[in-house]
């Protein structure tokens, strides 16, 4: 599920893949080959319609048309999903099984 995937990424020093900018999003989409459905590190804030990256930053979001819809009032996580041949974001229940990838940022290098 989404929580287990995030924990596994944290054990590797990262988080589920997430995006702060369109540029990060485009680079990820161009370089990572994911299956039709995959977790991303974006979660709903409480009972609101707002979402946040798992590291606490503001997310770049690219939702499918009609998303997020919080179907059944239980869709608090996000994934990439494919519809009509297009892969975009979808809100989904957090307890489902999905593949995932981790984002592991390198610390800045200091030059002496």
């Amino acid at each position: 599920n989404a929580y287990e995937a995030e924990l596994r990424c944290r054990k590797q020093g990262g988080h589920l893949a997430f995006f702060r900018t369109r540029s990060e999003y485009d680079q990820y989409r161009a370089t990572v080959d994911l299956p039709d459905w995959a977790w991303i590190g974006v979660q709903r804030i409480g009972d609101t319609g707002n979402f946040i990256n798992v590291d606490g930053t503001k997310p770049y979001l690219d939702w499918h048309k009609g998303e997020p819809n919080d179907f059944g009032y239980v869709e608090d996580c996000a994934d990439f999903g494919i519809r009509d041949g297009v892969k975009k974001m979808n809100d989904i229940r957090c307890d489902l099984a999905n593949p995932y990838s981790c984002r592991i940022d390198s610390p800045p290098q200091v030059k002496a």
Side-chain angles (χ1 to χ4, degrees), residues 78-97:
D79 69 357
F80 275 127
I82 193 160
R83 288 187 199 159
D84 301 321
V86 177
K87 191 178 287 190
K88 288 191 173 194
M89 296 176 185
N90 170 59
D91 64 333
I92 190 169
R93 290 178 16 209
C94 302
D95 64 336
L96 300 175

Side-chain angles (χ1 to χ4, degrees), residues 25-47:
Y25 176 75
D26 289 343
Q27 181 180 8
Y28 180 84
R29 297 273 317 264
T31 57
V32 177
D33 185 27
L34 290 172
D36 289 348
W37 298 94
W39 288 119
I40 56 174
V42 175
Q43 295 178 352
R44 184 180 307 278
I45 302 171
D47 292 332

